């Protein structure tokens, strides 16, 4: 198996503070590196479409809900792990771009819905296709069995850490 920078970092810490730094460092560094390697090519495609990662995430989540492609802002914030203020800023930009519409909830004056506009559905689908293709290209040299094993192992780690409500 090939060695990488994370191996070098772990070995350096093992020399400097034997037994102090271990799997937590390797797992954290590898997960962050994997996220960066998969996010970067997707973000290039999203930029081409004029979308930020946060805007894409909201469009993709709304599109994945099925018709009528709507959720409450609080649910979006929870799924994206954003603050309500951060979510509001992104929703404002998407509204200005005519990609989403905000609807009052007739049964609860304190609540509202966020819904993809017709244009938003088309842009969301184009963005999901482009981002997915970019990530698939990045993973082209990873054997399907290896990818599946990594997916399953990461799920187990996340569940063990209490992250049962993964987006």
């Amino acid at each position: 198996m090939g060695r990488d920078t994370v191996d070098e970092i772990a070995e350096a810490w093992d020399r400097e503070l034997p037994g102090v730094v271990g799997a937590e460092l390797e797992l954290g560094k590898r997960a962050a590196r994997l996220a960066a390697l998969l996010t970067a090519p997707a973000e290039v495609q999203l930029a081409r479409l004029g979308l930020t990662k946060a805007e894409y995430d909201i469009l993709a989540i709304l599109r994945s809900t099925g018709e009528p492609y709507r959720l409450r802002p609080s649910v979006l914030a929870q799924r994206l792990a954003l603050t309500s203020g951060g979510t509001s800023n992104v929703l404002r930009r998407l509204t200005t771009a005519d990609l989403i519409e905000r609807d009052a909830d007739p049964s609860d004056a304190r609540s509202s819905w966020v819904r993809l506009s017709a244009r938003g559905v088309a842009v969301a689908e184009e963005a999901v296709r482009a981002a997915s293709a970019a990530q698939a290209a990045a993973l082209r040299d990873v054997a399907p069995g290896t990818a599946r094993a990594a997916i399953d192992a990461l799920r187990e780690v996340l569940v063990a850490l209490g992250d049962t409500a993964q987006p």
Side-chain angles (χ1 to χ4, degrees):
M1 180 174 290
R3 295 182 36 74
D4 64 9
T5 304
V6 176
D7 291 325
E8 293 171 8
I9 292 168
E11 287 173 4
W13 277 115
D14 194 43
R15 277 191 315 273
E16 295 299 315
L17 293 173
V20 174
V21 177
E24 69 283 352
L25 173 107
E26 287 190 67
L27 185 57
K29 293 274 186 202
R30 289 185 199 291
R33 188 69 185 131
L34 177 62
L37 289 170
L38 289 176
T39 300
E43 285 181 338
V44 168
Q45 295 305 310
L46 298 176
R48 183 182 59 78
L49 297 171
L51 296 172
T52 66
K53 174 86 167 71
E55 291 165 344
Y56 166 76
D57 287 342
I58 287 176
L59 294 176
I61 287 171
L62 288 170
R63 177 58 186 87
S64 73
T65 64
E67 288 190 58
Y69 312 118
R70 74 177 190 173
L71 289 171
R72 296 193 185 282
S74 59
V75 173
L76 285 168
Q78 177 186 14
R79 289 192 187 174
L80 295 171
L82 289 175
T83 64
S84 59
T87 302
S88 293
N89 289 335
V90 178
L91 293 177
R92 201 171 5 266
R93 291 193 308 264
L94 291 171
T95 301
T96 300
D98 295 322
L99 297 174
I100 64 165
E101 297 169 355
R102 305 287 301 263
D103 299 323
D105 185 341
S107 64
D108 184 353
R110 298 169 296 155
S111 290
S112 66
W113 292 96
V114 176
R115 178 174 45 87
L116 284 178
S117 66
R119 181 172 179 266
V121 172
V123 170
E125 290 175 2
E126 181 180 6
V128 168
R129 285 186 176 96
S132 294
Q135 290 176 329
L139 289 169
R140 72 182 164 275
D141 294 331
V142 177
T146 300
R148 176 48 53 197
I151 291 163
D152 293 342
L154 288 170
R155 180 185 307 105
E156 286 182 38
V157 170
L158 290 169
V159 170
L161 293 174
D163 187 22
T164 57
Q166 300 170 37

Coordinates of all heavy atoms in Angstrom, one line a residue, residues 96-155:
T96 N -33.2 36.0 -4.8 CA -32.8 37.1 -5.7 C -32.5 36.5 -7.1 O -32.9 37.1 -8.1 CB -31.6 37.9 -5.2 OG1 -32.0 38.5 -3.9 CG2 -31.2 39.0 -6.2
A97 N -32.0 35.3 -7.1 CA -31.6 34.7 -8.4 C -32.8 33.9 -9.0 O -32.7 33.3 -10.0 CB -30.5 33.7 -8.2
D98 N -34.0 34.0 -8.4 CA -35.2 33.4 -8.8 C -35.1 31.8 -8.9 O -35.6 31.2 -9.8 CB -35.7 33.9 -10.2 CG -36.1 35.4 -10.2 OD1 -36.7 35.8 -9.2 OD2 -35.7 36.1 -11.1
L99 N -34.3 31.3 -8.0 CA -34.1 29.8 -7.9 C -35.0 29.2 -6.8 O -35.3 28.0 -6.9 CB -32.7 29.5 -7.6 CG -31.7 29.9 -8.7 CD1 -30.3 29.7 -8.3 CD2 -32.0 29.3 -10.1
I100 N -35.4 30.0 -5.9 CA -36.4 29.5 -4.8 C -37.4 30.6 -4.6 O -37.3 31.7 -5.0 CB -35.7 29.2 -3.5 CG1 -35.1 30.5 -2.9 CG2 -34.6 28.1 -3.6 CD1 -34.7 30.4 -1.4
E101 N -38.5 30.1 -4.0 CA -39.6 31.0 -3.6 C -39.9 30.8 -2.1 O -39.8 29.6 -1.6 CB -40.8 30.8 -4.4 CG -40.6 31.1 -5.9 CD -41.7 30.6 -6.8 OE1 -42.6 29.9 -6.4 OE2 -41.6 30.9 -8.0
R102 N -40.3 31.8 -1.4 CA -40.6 31.7 0.0 C -42.1 31.8 0.1 O -42.7 32.7 -0.4 CB -39.9 32.8 0.8 CG -38.4 32.9 0.7 CD -37.7 31.8 1.4 NE -37.9 31.7 2.8 CZ -37.1 32.3 3.7 NH1 -36.0 33.0 3.4 NH2 -37.4 32.1 5.0
D103 N -42.7 30.8 0.7 CA -44.2 30.8 0.9 C -44.5 30.8 2.4 O -43.9 30.1 3.2 CB -44.8 29.5 0.3 CG -44.5 29.4 -1.2 OD1 -44.5 30.4 -1.9 OD2 -44.3 28.3 -1.6
A104 N -45.5 31.7 2.7 CA -46.0 31.7 4.1 C -46.7 30.4 4.4 O -47.3 29.8 3.5 CB -46.9 32.9 4.3
D105 N -46.7 30.0 5.6 CA -47.5 28.8 6.0 C -48.8 29.2 6.5 O -48.9 29.9 7.5 CB -46.8 28.0 7.1 CG -47.4 26.7 7.5 OD1 -48.6 26.5 7.2 OD2 -46.8 25.9 8.1
P106 N -49.9 28.9 5.7 CA -51.2 29.4 6.1 C -51.7 28.9 7.5 O -52.5 29.5 8.1 CB -52.2 28.9 5.0 CG -51.4 27.9 4.2 CD -49.9 28.1 4.5
S107 N -51.2 27.8 7.9 CA -51.6 27.2 9.2 C -50.8 27.7 10.4 O -51.1 27.4 11.5 CB -51.6 25.7 9.1 OG -50.2 25.2 9.0
D108 N -49.6 28.4 10.1 CA -48.8 28.9 11.2 C -48.1 30.2 10.7 O -47.1 30.1 9.9 CB -47.7 27.8 11.5 CG -46.9 28.2 12.7 OD1 -47.0 29.4 13.2 OD2 -46.1 27.4 13.2
A109 N -48.5 31.3 11.2 CA -48.0 32.6 10.7 C -46.5 32.8 11.0 O -45.9 33.6 10.4 CB -48.8 33.7 11.4
R110 N -46.0 32.0 12.0 CA -44.6 32.1 12.4 C -43.7 31.3 11.4 O -42.5 31.4 11.5 CB -44.4 31.6 13.8 CG -45.1 32.5 14.8 CD -45.1 31.8 16.2 NE -45.8 30.5 16.1 CZ -45.6 29.5 16.9 NH1 -44.7 29.5 17.8 NH2 -46.3 28.4 16.7
S111 N -44.3 30.4 10.6 CA -43.5 29.5 9.8 C -43.6 29.9 8.3 O -44.5 30.6 7.9 CB -44.0 28.1 9.9 OG -43.6 27.6 11.2
S112 N -42.6 29.4 7.5 CA -42.7 29.6 6.1 C -42.1 28.3 5.4 O -41.5 27.5 6.1 CB -41.8 30.8 5.7 OG -40.5 30.6 6.0
W113 N -42.2 28.3 4.2 CA -41.7 27.2 3.4 C -40.7 27.8 2.4 O -40.8 28.9 1.9 CB -42.8 26.5 2.6 CG -43.7 25.7 3.4 CD1 -44.9 26.1 3.9 CD2 -43.5 24.4 3.9 NE1 -45.5 25.2 4.6 CE2 -44.7 24.1 4.7 CE3 -42.5 23.4 3.8 CZ2 -44.8 22.8 5.3 CZ3 -42.7 22.2 4.4 CH2 -43.8 21.9 5.2
V114 N -39.7 27.0 2.0 CA -38.8 27.3 0.9 C -39.0 26.3 -0.2 O -39.0 25.1 0.1 CB -37.3 27.2 1.4 CG1 -36.3 27.5 0.2 CG2 -37.0 28.2 2.5
R115 N -39.3 26.8 -1.4 CA -39.6 25.9 -2.5 C -38.8 26.3 -3.7 O -38.6 27.5 -4.0 CB -41.1 26.1 -2.8 CG -41.6 25.3 -3.9 CD -43.2 25.4 -4.0 NE -43.7 26.8 -3.9 CZ -43.8 27.6 -4.9 NH1 -43.4 27.3 -6.1 NH2 -44.3 28.8 -4.7
L116 N -38.3 25.3 -4.4 CA -37.7 25.5 -5.7 C -38.6 26.1 -6.7 O -39.8 25.7 -6.8 CB -37.1 24.2 -6.3 CG -35.9 23.6 -5.7 CD1 -35.6 22.3 -6.4 CD2 -34.7 24.5 -5.7
S117 N -38.2 27.1 -7.4 CA -38.9 27.7 -8.5 C -38.8 26.7 -9.7 O -37.9 25.8 -9.6 CB -38.4 29.1 -8.9 OG -37.1 29.0 -9.4
A118 N -39.5 26.9 -10.8 CA -39.3 26.1 -11.9 C -37.9 26.2 -12.5 O -37.3 25.2 -12.8 CB -40.3 26.5 -13.0
R119 N -37.4 27.4 -12.5 CA -36.0 27.6 -12.9 C -35.0 27.0 -11.9 O -34.0 26.4 -12.3 CB -35.7 29.1 -12.9 CG -34.3 29.4 -13.4 CD -34.1 31.0 -13.6 NE -32.7 31.2 -14.0 CZ -31.7 31.6 -13.2 NH1 -32.0 31.7 -11.9 NH2 -30.5 31.7 -13.6
G120 N -35.4 27.0 -10.6 CA -34.6 26.4 -9.6 C -34.5 24.9 -9.8 O -33.4 24.3 -9.5
V121 N -35.6 24.2 -10.2 CA -35.5 22.8 -10.4 C -34.5 22.5 -11.5 O -33.7 21.6 -11.4 CB -36.9 22.3 -10.8 CG1 -36.9 20.8 -11.2 CG2 -37.9 22.4 -9.6
A122 N -34.6 23.2 -12.6 CA -33.7 23.0 -13.7 C -32.2 23.2 -13.4 O -31.4 22.4 -13.7 CB -34.1 23.9 -14.9
V123 N -32.0 24.3 -12.6 CA -30.6 24.6 -12.2 C -30.1 23.6 -11.2 O -28.9 23.1 -11.3 CB -30.5 26.0 -11.6 CG1 -29.2 26.3 -11.0 CG2 -30.8 27.1 -12.7
A124 N -31.0 23.1 -10.3 CA -30.6 22.1 -9.3 C -30.2 20.8 -10.0 O -29.2 20.2 -9.7 CB -31.7 21.9 -8.3
E125 N -31.0 20.4 -11.0 CA -30.7 19.2 -11.7 C -29.4 19.3 -12.5 O -28.6 18.4 -12.5 CB -31.9 18.8 -12.7 CG -33.1 18.4 -11.9 CD -34.3 18.1 -12.7 OE1 -34.2 18.2 -13.9 OE2 -35.3 17.8 -12.1
E126 N -29.2 20.4 -13.2 CA -27.9 20.6 -13.9 C -26.7 20.6 -13.0 O -25.7 20.0 -13.3 CB -28.0 22.0 -14.7 CG -26.7 22.2 -15.5 CD -26.8 23.6 -16.3 OE1 -27.7 24.3 -16.1 OE2 -25.8 23.8 -17.0
A127 N -26.9 21.3 -11.8 CA -25.8 21.3 -10.9 C -25.5 20.0 -10.3 O -24.3 19.6 -10.1 CB -26.1 22.3 -9.8
V128 N -26.5 19.2 -9.9 CA -26.3 17.9 -9.4 C -25.6 17.0 -10.4 O -24.6 16.3 -10.0 CB -27.6 17.2 -8.9 CG1 -27.4 15.8 -8.6 CG2 -28.1 18.0 -7.7
R129 N -26.0 17.1 -11.6 CA -25.4 16.3 -12.7 C -23.9 16.7 -12.8 O -23.0 15.8 -12.9 CB -26.1 16.4 -14.0 CG -27.4 15.6 -14.0 CD -28.0 15.7 -15.4 NE -29.2 14.8 -15.5 CZ -30.5 15.3 -15.3 NH1 -30.7 16.6 -15.1 NH2 -31.5 14.5 -15.4
A130 N -23.6 18.0 -12.9 CA -22.2 18.4 -13.1 C -21.4 18.1 -11.9 O -20.2 17.6 -12.1 CB -22.3 20.0 -13.3
A131 N -21.8 18.3 -10.7 CA -21.0 18.0 -9.5 C -20.8 16.5 -9.3 O -19.7 16.1 -9.0 CB -21.7 18.6 -8.2
S132 N -21.8 15.7 -9.6 CA -21.7 14.3 -9.5 C -20.7 13.7 -10.5 O -19.9 12.9 -10.2 CB -23.0 13.6 -9.7 OG -23.9 13.9 -8.6
A133 N -20.7 14.3 -11.8 CA -19.8 13.8 -12.8 C -18.4 14.2 -12.4 O -17.5 13.4 -12.6 CB -20.2 14.5 -14.1
A134 N -18.2 15.4 -11.9 CA -16.9 15.8 -11.5 C -16.3 14.9 -10.4 O -15.1 14.5 -10.4 CB -16.9 17.3 -11.0
Q135 N -17.2 14.6 -9.4 CA -16.7 13.7 -8.3 C -16.5 12.3 -8.8 O -15.5 11.6 -8.4 CB -17.7 13.7 -7.2 CG -17.7 15.1 -6.5 CD -18.7 15.2 -5.4 OE1 -19.8 14.6 -5.5 NE2 -18.4 16.0 -4.4
A136 N -17.3 11.8 -9.7 CA -17.1 10.5 -10.3 C -15.8 10.4 -11.0 O -15.0 9.4 -10.9 CB -18.3 10.1 -11.2
A137 N -15.5 11.5 -11.8 CA -14.2 11.5 -12.5 C -13.0 11.5 -11.5 O -12.0 10.9 -11.7 CB -14.1 12.8 -13.4
A138 N -13.2 12.2 -10.4 CA -12.1 12.2 -9.4 C -11.9 10.8 -8.8 O -10.7 10.4 -8.4 CB -12.4 13.2 -8.3
L139 N -12.9 10.0 -8.7 CA -12.9 8.7 -8.1 C -12.6 7.6 -9.2 O -12.7 6.4 -8.8 CB -14.2 8.4 -7.4 CG -14.4 9.1 -6.1 CD1 -15.8 9.0 -5.6 CD2 -13.4 8.7 -5.0
R140 N -12.4 7.9 -10.4 CA -12.3 7.0 -11.5 C -11.3 5.8 -11.2 O -11.5 4.7 -11.7 CB -12.0 7.6 -12.8 CG -10.6 8.2 -13.0 CD -10.4 8.9 -14.3 NE -9.2 9.7 -14.3 CZ -9.2 11.0 -13.8 NH1 -10.2 11.6 -13.3 NH2 -8.0 11.6 -13.7
D141 N -10.2 6.1 -10.5 CA -9.2 5.1 -10.3 C -9.4 4.3 -9.0 O -8.6 3.5 -8.6 CB -7.8 5.7 -10.3 CG -7.4 6.3 -11.6 OD1 -7.9 5.8 -12.6 OD2 -6.7 7.3 -11.7
V142 N -10.5 4.5 -8.3 CA -10.8 3.8 -7.1 C -11.8 2.7 -7.4 O -12.8 2.9 -8.0 CB -11.5 4.8 -6.0 CG1 -11.9 4.0 -4.8 CG2 -10.6 5.9 -5.7
A143 N -11.3 1.5 -7.1 CA -12.2 0.3 -7.3 C -13.5 0.4 -6.6 O -13.6 0.9 -5.5 CB -11.4 -1.0 -6.9
P144 N -14.6 0.0 -7.3 CA -15.9 0.1 -6.7 C -16.0 -0.6 -5.3 O -16.6 0.0 -4.4 CB -16.8 -0.6 -7.7 CG -16.1 -0.4 -9.0 CD -14.7 -0.5 -8.7
G145 N -15.4 -1.7 -5.2 CA -15.4 -2.4 -3.8 C -14.7 -1.6 -2.8 O -15.1 -1.5 -1.6
T146 N -13.6 -0.9 -3.2 CA -12.9 0.0 -2.2 C -13.7 1.2 -1.8 O -13.8 1.5 -0.6 CB -11.5 0.5 -2.8 OG1 -10.8 -0.7 -3.2 CG2 -10.8 1.4 -1.9
A147 N -14.4 1.8 -2.8 CA -15.3 2.9 -2.5 C -16.4 2.4 -1.5 O -16.7 3.1 -0.5 CB -15.9 3.5 -3.8
R148 N -17.0 1.3 -1.8 CA -18.1 0.8 -1.0 C -17.6 0.5 0.4 O -18.3 0.8 1.4 CB -18.8 -0.4 -1.6 CG -19.9 -1.1 -0.8 CD -21.0 -0.3 -0.3 NE -21.6 0.6 -1.2 CZ -22.3 1.7 -0.9 NH1 -22.6 2.0 0.4 NH2 -22.9 2.4 -1.8
A149 N -16.5 -0.1 0.6 CA -15.9 -0.4 1.9 C -15.7 0.9 2.7 O -15.9 1.0 3.9 CB -14.6 -1.2 1.7
A150 N -15.1 1.9 2.0 CA -14.9 3.2 2.6 C -16.2 3.8 3.1 O -16.3 4.4 4.2 CB -14.1 4.1 1.7
I151 N -17.2 3.8 2.2 CA -18.5 4.4 2.6 C -19.1 3.7 3.8 O -19.5 4.3 4.7 CB -19.5 4.2 1.4 CG1 -19.1 5.1 0.2 CG2 -20.9 4.5 1.8 CD1 -19.7 4.7 -1.1
D152 N -19.1 2.4 3.8 CA -19.6 1.6 4.9 C -18.8 1.9 6.2 O -19.4 2.0 7.3 CB -19.6 0.1 4.6 CG -20.6 -0.2 3.5 OD1 -21.5 0.6 3.2 OD2 -20.5 -1.3 2.9
A153 N -17.5 1.9 6.1 CA -16.7 2.1 7.3 C -16.9 3.6 7.9 O -17.0 3.7 9.1 CB -15.2 1.9 7.0
L154 N -17.0 4.6 7.0 CA -17.2 5.9 7.4 C -18.6 6.1 8.1 O -18.8 6.8 9.1 CB -17.0 6.9 6.3 CG -15.6 7.1 5.9 CD1 -15.5 7.9 4.6 CD2 -14.8 7.8 7.0
R155 N -19.6 5.4 7.5 CA -20.9 5.4 8.1 C -20.9 4.8 9.6 O -21.4 5.4 10.5 CB -21.9 4.6 7.3 CG -23.3 4.6 7.9 CD -24.3 3.7 7.2 NE -24.4 4.0 5.8 CZ -23.9 3.2 4.8 NH1 -23.3 2.1 5.1 NH2 -24.0 3.5 3.6

